[in-house]
C-alpha cells in the first residue's frame, strides 16, 4: 500500500479512546452477535470489528482464523487501515487483482479474496475503527450489502459506546461500595440475662483489645470509656434498656497507648415475652477521622460528578454537594436542617419517598431509575442507609440508556430485515400465497416500525388493492381492517400512498390528519380514520425490476416519535426484499403456467387397441418446485403393435419442457417406422440428439406389445422393452407376482454417449397382466430414497391389483405422495385383458387412428 493510503499518526486523544474501547469491547457478546448477523446478511465467510490506533486490533468477529481475536496488525499490512483512512466504505471485489492489496499477508495466504469495510464513526464525526466483511473467494458486493453493513456499523458503535459506559458505571459503583466499607462499622450484642457482651473483630480492635484480652463483659466496655463521657454513655444505655427503645451515644475511647478515639454507637433493646429488655444489639463506628477530616471529606464529595446528599434519621438534609444543588435546584442554605418532605412536598408517596423510607426501614440499599424532566435526563438513584440516616446518590445514566435503546432498536431493525424476507418467501409457497405473504409482512413490521400498517397488492387488473392490515392494539385491529376496506375508494390523487407509487420513493408524512384525514369524505371512512388517529406515517411502494407489485403504509400514533432515517432505511430494505420475493413469485408462476401448458399440450390421449386398456396420468409438482420434462406416450405402429413410452428430461424449467417436446416428437417419428425395436429406437434417438446439437440429457423406457397367432390362441403376449437409465417399469402378473423390468447391467441415459450399446429384453406374460411405467417423481424425493420408493410402489401395486386400471393409477400416486408432489409425475399403465372374451366395459370403447389397421392378432 502507498503511504497516502494509510492513516496519519494518531493523536494522543485518539489513542486513549481506542485503548479505552479495546479494554471493554474485546470478546463482547453483543459485538460477536452483530458480526454474526453481518456475515449472514451479506453472505460473507468472515465479519469482524477492528479498532485502529497505531496498529489495527480485531476485537470481535465471526469466521476468523484461529488466534485472530485481539491480535495487533501493523497498519501497512491491513486493508482495514485503508478503509479507516478513507473515511468511506471500501469495496474490493477481488483483492488479488487489486495492486494496492495483492501483496498483503491475508490476501496472499487466501484468507481474504473480497473485502467490504465500513468506517465506525464516533459522535464528533471522527473514525475509531472499521466493521468489515470478507470472503475467501472474489465476489461482487451489492449496494444492498453496503447499505446493510452501514446500518450494522451504527449498531456496532452503539454497542461499543454502551460497553464503555457500562464499564465507567461499574467503576463508579465499586468506588461507592469501597467508600461505604471504608467507614469500618463494627457490631455488638449484649445479652442482658447472662451479661455476656459480644463484639465483632472490628469493635474489639476499635476499643484497643485483642481476642485474648477482651473478656466479653460490660465492665470491659466501661473501662475504655473516657471518664468525662462515662456517665452520659451509661445513662443512654440505661434509658434504652428501661424503655426497651433505641440507644444512641457518641463518646471517646481512652486507649492504653494514651490515644483517644471518637466512637458513634447506635442500637436497640429487644424485648422478651414479658415486655422487658432481653438484649441490646447495635453498631458502632470510629468517627475520629470524621471529626478531624470533615473538610477533607467535603472536598471529596464536592469533586464528585454525581449528585450527593445525606439525610438524618428524621429525613433532614445534613449535607448537599454542588452537583446536588444543581439537580435539586435548591441551595444548601435552603435545604440544610429541613426535611425532604418539607422541601419537596411531592416526594412523599412517590417512587422517591417509597424507596427512601424503604431503605431506612429495611436497612437495605434501594436502587431505581427515574426521569427528571427539567434536565431531560435519566438518573440512577442509590439510597444507602447508614446509622446516621440515608446517603443518596444521583448518577446521570441518560447516555447509557440512550445507547441501550439505540442498540435495542438497531438489533430489532436488523432482525426484522433478516426475518421478514424468509417469512414472506415461506408464505408464497402456501395456498393464497401473495395475500398470506403480505399479511405476514404486516404483522412483522408492527411494532418495530409502526403502531399499525396496511399492505397492498397490485392485482391482475393492474389496480391497487388493500389486502392486509395489522394493529399493535388487539382492540383496534377490526378498525384497521375496516379502514383498509374503505380508504382506496376515498383517497385523493395527492394522497401520500399515491405519491409513493408515482415516485417510487418513501413518503414521510409528518401530519397524517392534515395530509389525509381532511381530504376524506364525510361518512364511515372519516369516522374510522378519526378513531385510529394516526399522527405520522411512512408510505412506500413495493417495486422490483421496474415493476410495482404493491405498497406499504406504516402509521404511528401520537406519543411515538416520527420515523427517523434508520427507520425509513429499514422500511425501504424490507419493502425491496418483499417486492423482489413477490415479483419472483409472479415471474415463476408465469413461467410455470407456460411450461405446464406446453407440457400438457404435448401429452396426448392414448389409443385404445383391441383388448388392451391404456391409462395415462400427469401430475405437476407443488408450487415449491418447477415444471420439469416428464412425459409419457402411447401410440400404434402401422402394423398395429402398441408402443408405450415414459421419459424424463434433465432439468426443471421451460427449456426442459421444450426439450421434452422435441424428444417426444423425434421418438414418435423414429418408432413409427416398421421394424426397429425399443433398443433401436433409443439408439437412433441418441444419435439424433447429438447430430442436432440439442445438448439435452434424458432417461426413457420403451415397451412394445407383440403377439403371434399361436400366442393369441394360448392367451399369451410378449413385451419387448429397453431402458435408458430410467426407473424400472413394474409388471404385475396374473398370479400376483410383481417383476421389475431392469437390465442385468444399467444402460446409459440419452444424450451422454451416442455410441453406447443398447439392448432389448423380452418377457412373455399371460393376458390379464398389467404393465406400469412411471417417472422418478413418484418414487424419489427429499423425504424418500429411490430404493425405498420403488419398494413402496411394489407394495401398493400388489394391494391394488384387483382395482380398475384408472383407480390403480390414482391410488398409487395418492399412497406414495400423500403430502403432495415435490416433482412432476407421469404414469402410463397397460392392462392386457383376455382376448377370449368381449372387451371389458371399464376399458372403454376401442379407439385407434384411422390410418392404422388393428392387427388380426391383437396387440
Amino acid at each position: 500500500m502507498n503511504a497516502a493510503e494509510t492513516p496519519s499518526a494518531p493523536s494522543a486523544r485518539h489513542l486513549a479512546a481506542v485503548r479505552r474501547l479495546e479494554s471493554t469491547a474485546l470478546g463482547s457478546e453483543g459485538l460477536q452477535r452483530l458480526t454474526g448477523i453481518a456475515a449472514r446478511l451479506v453472505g460473507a465467510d468472515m465479519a469482524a470489528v477492528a479498532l485502529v490506533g497505531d496498529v489495527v486490533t480485531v476485537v470481535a468477529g465471526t469466521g476468523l482464523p484461529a488466534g485472530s481475536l485481539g491480535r495487533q496488525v501493523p497498519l501497512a499490512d491491513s486493508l482495514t487501515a485503508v478503509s479507516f483512512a478513507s473515511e468511506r466504505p471500501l469495496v474490493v471485489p477481488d483483492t488479488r487483482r487489486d495492486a494496492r492489496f495483492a501483496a498483503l499477508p491475508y490476501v496472499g495466504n487466501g484468507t481474504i479474496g473480497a473485502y467490504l469495510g465500513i468506517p465506525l464513526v464516533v459522535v464528533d464525526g471522527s473514525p475509531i475503527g472499521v466493521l468489515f466483511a470478507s470472503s475467501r473467494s472474489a465476489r461482487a458486493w451489492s449496494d444492498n450489502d453496503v447499505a446493510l453493513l452501514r446500518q450494522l456499523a451504527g449498531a456496532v458503535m452503539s454497542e461499543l459506546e454502551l460497553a464503555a459506559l457500562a464499564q465507567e458505571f461499574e467503576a463508579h459503583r465499586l468506588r461507592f461500595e469501597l467508600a461505604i466499607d471504608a467507614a469500618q462499622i463494627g457490631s455488638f450484642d449484649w445479652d442482658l440475662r447472662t451479661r455476656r457482651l459480644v463484639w465483632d473483630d472490628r469493635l474489639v480492635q476499635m476499643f484497643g483489645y485483642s481476642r485474648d484480652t477482651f473478656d466479653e463483659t460490660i465492665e470491659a466496655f466501661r473501662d475504655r470509656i473516657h471518664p468525662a463521657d462515662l456517665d452520659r454513655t451509661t445513662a443512654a444505655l440505661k434509658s434504652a434498656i428501661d424503655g426497651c427503645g433505641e440507644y444512641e451515644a457518641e463518646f471517646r475511647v481512652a486507649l492504653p497507648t494514651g490515644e483517644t478515639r471518637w466512637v458513634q454507637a447506635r442500637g436497640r433493646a429487644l424485648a422478651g415475652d414479658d415486655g422487658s429488655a432481653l438484649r441490646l444489639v447495635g453498631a458502632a463506628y470510629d468517627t475520629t477521622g470524621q471529626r478531624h477530616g470533615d473538610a477533607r471529606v467535603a472536598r471529596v464529595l464536592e469533586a464528585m460528578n454525581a449528585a450527593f446528599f445525606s439525610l438524618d434519621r428524621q429525613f433532614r438534609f445534613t449535607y448537599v454537594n454542588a452537583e446536588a444543588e444543581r439537580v435539586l435546584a435548591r441551595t444548601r442554605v435552603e435545604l440544610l436542617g429541613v426535611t425532604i418532605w418539607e422541601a419537596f412536598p411531592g416526594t412523599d408517596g412517590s417512587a422517591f419517598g417509597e424507596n427512601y423510607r424503604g431503605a431506612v426501614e429495611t436497612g437495605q440499599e434501594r436502587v431505581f431509575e427515574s426521569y427528571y424532566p427539567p434536565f431531560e435526563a435519566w438518573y440512577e438513584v442509590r439510597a444507602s442507609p447508614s446509622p446516621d440516616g440515608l446517603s443518596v446518590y444521583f448518577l446521570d445514566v441518560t447516555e447509557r440508556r440512550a445507547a441501550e435503546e439505540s442498540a435495542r432498536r438497531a438489533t430489532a431493525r436488523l432482525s426484522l430485515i433478516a426475518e421478514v424476507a424468509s417469512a414472506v418467501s415461506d408464505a408464497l409457497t402456501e395456498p393464497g400465497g401473495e395475500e398470506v405473504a403480505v399479511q405476514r409482512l404486516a404483522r412483522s413490521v408492527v411494532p418495530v416500525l409502526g403502531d399499525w400498517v396496511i399492505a397492498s397488492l397490485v392485482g391482475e387488473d393492474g389496480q391497487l388493492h388493500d389486502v392486509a392490515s395489522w394493529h399493535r392494539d388487539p382492540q383496534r385491529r377490526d378498525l384497521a381492517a375496516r379502514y383498509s376496506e374503505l380508504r382506496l375508494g376515498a383517497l385523493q390523487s395527492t394522497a401520500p400512498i399515491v405519491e409513493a407509487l408515482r415516485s417510487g420513493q418513501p413518503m414521510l408524512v409528518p401530519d397524517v390528519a392534515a395530509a389525509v384525514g381532511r381530504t376524506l369524505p364525510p361518512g364511515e371512512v372519516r369516522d374510522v380514520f378519526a378513531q385510529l388517529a394516526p399522527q405520522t406515517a411512512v408510505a412506500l411502494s413495493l417495486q422490483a425490476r421496474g415493476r410495482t407489485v404493491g405498497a406499504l403504509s406504516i402509521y404511528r400514533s401520537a406519543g411515538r416519535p416520527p420515523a427517523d432515517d434508520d427507520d425509513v432505511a429499514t422500511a425501504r430494505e424490507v419493502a425491496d426484499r418483499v417486492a423482489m420475493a413477490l415479483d419472483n413469485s409472479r415471474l415463476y408462476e408465469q413461467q410455470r403456467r407456460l411450461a405446464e401448458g406446453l407440457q400438457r399440450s404435448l401429452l396426448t390421449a392414448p389409443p385404445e387397441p383391441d383388448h388392451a386398456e391404456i391409462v395415462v396420468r400427469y401430475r405437476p409438482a407443488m408450487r415449491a418446485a418447477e415444471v420439469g420434462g416428464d412425459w409419457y406416450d402411447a401410440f400404434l405402429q402401422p402394423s398395429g403393435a402398441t408402443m408405450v413410452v415414459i421419459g424424463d428430461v434433465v432439468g426443471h424449467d421451460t427449456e426442459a419442457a421444450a426439450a421434452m417436446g422435441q424428444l417426444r416428437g423425434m421418438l414418435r417419428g423414429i418408432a413409427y417406422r416398421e421394424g426397429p425395436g425399443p433398443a433401436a429406437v433409443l439408439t437412433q434417438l441418441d444419435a439424433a440428439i447429438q447430430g442436432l446439437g440439442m445438448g439435452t440429457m434424458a432417461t426413457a423406457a420403451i415397451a412394445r406389445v407383440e403377439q403371434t397367432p399361436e400366442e393369441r390362441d394360448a392367451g399369451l403376449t410378449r413385451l419387448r422393452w429397453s431402458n435408458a437409465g430410467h426407473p424400472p417399469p413394474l409388471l404385475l402378473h396374473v398370479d400376483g407376482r410383481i417383476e421389475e423390468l431392469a437390465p442385468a447391467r444399467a444402460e446409459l441415459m440419452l444424450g451422454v454417449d451416442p455410441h453406447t450399446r443398447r439392448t432389448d429384453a423380452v418377457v412373455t406374460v399371460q393376458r390379464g397382466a398389467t404393465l406400469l411405467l412411471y417417472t422418478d417423481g413418484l418414487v424419489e424425493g427429499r423425504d424418500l430414497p429411490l430404493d425405498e420408493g420403488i419398494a413402496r410402489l411394489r407394495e401398493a401395486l400388489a394391494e391394488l391389483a384387483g382395482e380398475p386400471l384408472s383407480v390403480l393409477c390414482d391410488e398409487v400416486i395418492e399412497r406414495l405422495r400423500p403430502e403432495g408432489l415435490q416433482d412432476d409425475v407421469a404414469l402410463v399403465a397397460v392392462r392386457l385383458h383376455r382376448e377370449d372374451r368381449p372387451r371389458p366395459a371399464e376399458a372403454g370403447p376401442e379407439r385407434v387412428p384411422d390410418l392404422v389397421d388393428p392387427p388380426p392378432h391383437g396387440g
Side-chain angles (χ1 to χ4, degrees):
M1 290 187 297
N2 298 326
E5 296 174 324
T6 57
S8 57
S11 65
R13 179 183 177 186
H14 176 83
L15 287 176
V18 169
R19 293 191 182 102
R20 178 174 67 91
L21 289 175
E22 283 179 0
S23 66
T24 60
L26 191 61
S28 163
E29 292 183 3
L31 292 177
Q32 289 294 122
R33 182 173 64 255
L34 289 172
T35 58
I37 292 175
R40 190 163 61 252
L41 287 178
V42 302
D45 297 321
M46 180 170 68
V49 175
L51 299 179
V52 181
D54 50 0
V55 293
V56 176
T57 305
V58 176
V59 296
T62 297
L64 298 174
S68 296
L69 203 61
R71 176 180 295 173
Q72 295 183 332
V73 179
L75 299 178
D77 292 343
S78 173
L79 283 83
T80 296
V82 178
S83 180
F84 175 87
S86 66
E87 299 187 8
R88 62 180 183 272
L90 177 63
V91 182
V92 186
D94 190 343
T95 57
R96 300 174 183 86
R97 293 181 178 272
D98 193 316
R100 295 174 299 170
F101 311 117
L104 295 181
Y106 282 102
V107 176
N109 65 18
T111 301
I112 299 179
Y115 179 91
L116 172 58
I118 304 295
L120 299 174
V121 180
V122 295
V123 176
D124 65 1
S126 59
I128 199 76
V130 174
L131 169 64
F132 72 86
S134 67
S135 294
R136 287 182 286 274
S137 302
R139 55 160 289 181
W141 301 100
S142 69
D143 290 342
N144 277 346
D145 294 333
V146 176
L148 286 172
L149 217 59
R150 277 184 186 276
Q151 283 191 288
L152 276 170
V156 168
M157 277 309 306
S158 296
E159 189 68 28
L160 285 169
E161 292 167 359
L162 177 61
L165 287 170
Q167 185 184 52
E168 185 176 343
F169 175 77
E170 180 64 13
H172 277 301
R173 186 184 65 82
L174 290 174
R175 285 196 293 270
F176 293 146
E177 289 184 355
L178 289 172
I180 292 172
D181 188 56
Q184 298 187 353
I185 298 172
S187 63
F188 60 85
D189 183 351
W190 186 20
D191 190 326
L192 300 176
R193 294 173 302 176
T194 64
R195 309 299 292 175
R196 183 188 179 201
L197 176 61
V198 177
W199 286 348
D200 65 8
D201 290 341
R202 184 165 290 165
L203 212 54
V204 170
Q205 182 182 12
M206 196 181 301
F207 277 75
Y209 287 108
S210 67
R211 280 295 174 193
D212 294 333
T213 57
F214 177 56
D215 61 4
E216 297 186 341
T217 64
I218 194 64
E219 286 73 22
F221 168 69
R222 291 193 180 105
D223 286 347
R224 288 289 193 261
I225 301 298
H226 191 283
D229 300 329
L230 181 58
D231 292 342
R232 177 172 51 81
T233 304
T234 302
L237 283 172
K238 185 175 185 305
S239 174
I241 294 170
D242 292 344
C244 211
E246 293 187 358
Y247 161 66
E248 182 174 356
E250 186 173 19
F251 48 82
R252 285 166 290 181
V253 174
L255 298 176
T257 60
E259 178 187 356
T260 299
R261 183 175 290 167
W262 280 93
V263 174
Q264 174 76 46
R266 286 191 176 90
R268 178 183 295 273
L270 304 179
D273 294 338
D274 60 357
S276 61
L278 292 179
R279 300 169 67 189
L280 184 70
V281 296
Y285 58 97
D286 191 331
T287 59
T288 306
Q290 179 179 343
R291 283 182 167 265
H292 298 299
D294 283 346
R296 180 177 57 82
V297 173
R299 285 194 300 271
V300 172
L301 292 174
E302 290 301 319
M304 290 173 57
N305 58 5
F308 169 81
F309 61 84
S310 59
L311 307 173
D312 64 16
R313 299 186 69 81
Q314 284 72 46
F315 295 98
R316 292 186 297 255
F317 283 95
T318 58
Y319 180 81
V320 181
N321 75 353
E323 181 64 13
E325 286 184 297
R326 188 184 72 85
V327 171
L328 299 176
R330 301 286 181 85
T331 66
R332 300 174 207 198
V333 174
E334 294 176 281
L335 294 175
L336 293 177
V338 179
T339 69
I340 194 170
W341 323 123
E342 294 170 337
F344 302 97
T347 303
D348 203 5
S350 69
F352 291 94
E354 292 175 4
N355 282 284
Y356 292 163
R357 291 188 186 278
V360 172
E361 291 170 1
T362 64
Q364 300 294 318
E365 183 181 54
R366 293 290 185 92
V367 181
F368 60 99
E369 291 187 359
S370 181
Y371 183 68
Y372 196 54
F375 296 153
E376 296 183 351
W378 280 90
Y379 285 91
E380 180 182 272
V381 183
R382 305 180 73 90
S384 302
S386 71
D388 292 327
L390 197 65
S391 298
V392 181
Y393 301 89
F394 277 62
L395 303 176
D396 189 336
V397 294
T398 307
E399 290 186 9
R400 188 197 73 192
R401 287 180 64 95
E404 289 174 345
E405 177 62 16
S406 176
R408 184 197 66 77
R409 291 181 61 204
T411 300
R413 288 193 295 263
L414 291 170
S415 297
L416 173 64
I417 292 172
E419 294 169 7
V420 73
S422 175
V424 168
S425 297
D426 290 345
L428 288 172
T429 66
E430 301 177 8
E434 288 193 353
E435 293 195 10
V436 173
V438 294
Q439 183 65 57
R440 291 189 182 175
L441 166 65
R443 296 190 182 197
S444 296
V445 300
V446 173
V448 178
L449 297 180
D451 296 318
W452 58 287
V453 66
I454 294 177
S456 316
L457 285 175
V458 174
E460 293 184 359
D461 58 0
Q463 300 297 311
L464 190 69
H465 302 274
D466 288 342
V467 297
S469 65
W470 196 251
H471 201 297
R472 70 184 304 171
D473 182 356
Q475 303 300 320
R476 291 174 171 259
R477 287 173 189 163
D478 288 343
L479 282 174
R482 184 56 181 158
Y483 181 64
S484 73
E485 295 171 359
L486 299 170
R487 73 157 185 165
L488 289 181
L491 291 178
Q492 302 294 318
S493 61
T494 57
I497 190 65
V498 178
E499 291 294 330
L501 290 170
R502 184 181 298 119
S503 67
Q505 298 299 318
M507 296 296 297
L508 277 69
V509 188
D511 187 346
V512 183
V516 178
R518 295 175 187 171
T519 68
L520 295 175
E524 184 182 6
V525 64
R526 178 177 285 190
D527 295 340
V528 173
F529 177 87
Q531 292 180 68
L532 289 167
Q535 181 70 34
T536 64
V538 178
L540 307 100
S541 62
L542 303 182
Q543 292 188 342
R545 302 184 181 93
R547 290 184 288 271
T548 299
V549 296
L552 189 63
S553 303
I554 305 171
Y555 301 93
R556 295 190 176 198
S557 303
R560 183 169 181 177
D564 59 21
D565 291 345
D566 288 336
D567 293 328
V568 175
T570 301
R572 178 74 273 173
E573 179 68 21
V574 167
D576 288 345
R577 292 191 176 212
V578 171
M580 185 62 70
L582 290 170
D583 194 54
N584 286 341
S585 175
R586 292 183 176 187
L587 290 174
Y588 164 80
E589 188 61 25
Q590 292 172 4
Q591 184 185 44
R592 174 186 170 80
R593 289 176 181 175
L594 175 63
E596 186 178 333
L598 172 63
Q599 196 163 21
R600 287 191 180 278
S601 70
L602 296 172
L603 301 178
T604 55
E608 294 292 348
D610 180 38
H611 287 81
E613 179 185 359
I614 302 176
V615 173
V616 294
R617 292 288 185 269
Y618 170 71
R619 297 284 188 272
M622 296 183 300
R623 183 182 177 89
E626 295 177 323
V627 174
D630 296 33
W631 94 90
Y632 63 78
D633 205 355
F635 54 90
L636 301 182
Q637 291 181 313
S639 65
T642 302
M643 297 281 281
V644 289
V645 183
I646 197 78
D648 187 0
V649 174
V650 174
H652 292 85
D653 50 29
T654 306
E655 292 184 4
M660 175 272 290
Q662 292 180 293
L663 290 184
R664 180 177 181 270
M666 289 193 298
L667 188 147
R668 275 192 158 210
I670 294 169
Y672 187 73
R673 295 182 298 107
E674 289 291 345
V681 170
L682 292 174
T683 298
Q684 293 178 42
L685 181 60
D686 224 353
I689 291 172
Q690 183 189 42
L692 296 174
M694 294 179 61
T696 298
M697 292 191 295
T699 66
I702 304 178
R704 184 168 68 181
V705 182
E706 304 174 347
Q707 190 181 53
T708 65
E710 293 78 15
E711 289 171 331
R712 180 183 178 90
D713 293 340
L716 302 175
T717 294
R718 277 174 292 110
L719 297 176
R720 184 180 301 277
W721 59 272
S722 186
N723 191 322
H726 199 80
L730 297 182
L731 180 59
L732 173 61
H733 289 276
V734 176
D735 60 5
R737 290 183 299 109
I738 296 176
E739 181 179 355
E740 290 186 17
L741 302 186
R745 182 174 181 180
E747 297 183 3
L748 285 177
M749 64 192 309
L750 299 168
V752 177
D753 180 7
H755 304 295
T756 187
R757 181 175 178 274
R758 301 195 181 278
T759 59
D760 280 333
V762 178
V763 58
T764 301
V765 299
Q766 288 186 334
R767 301 295 293 196
T770 300
L771 176 66
L772 178 66
L773 296 87
Y774 54 92
T775 55
D776 61 355
L778 180 66
V779 293
E780 186 177 29
R782 293 187 299 273
D783 58 343
L784 185 64
L786 180 61
D787 291 343
E788 182 182 338
I790 294 175
R792 288 174 56 183
L793 179 58
R794 291 175 62 108
E795 293 174 4
L797 193 58
E799 294 175 5
L800 298 167
E803 297 291 340
L805 192 58
S806 60
V807 175
L808 182 148
C809 290
D810 291 334
E811 281 293 315
V812 294
I813 295 175
E814 180 62 29
R815 292 192 183 190
L816 266 73
R817 288 299 182 189
E819 302 300 326
L821 301 176
Q822 298 173 5
D823 196 0
D824 293 0
V825 170
L827 296 180
V828 56
V830 182
R831 180 162 287 173
L832 302 171
H833 294 290
R834 290 179 58 173
E835 296 170 294
D836 57 349
R837 302 174 185 177
R839 180 179 174 89
E842 66 268 18
E846 181 179 1
R847 184 174 66 250
V848 297
D850 295 338
L851 298 180
V852 174
D853 296 325
H857 306 302

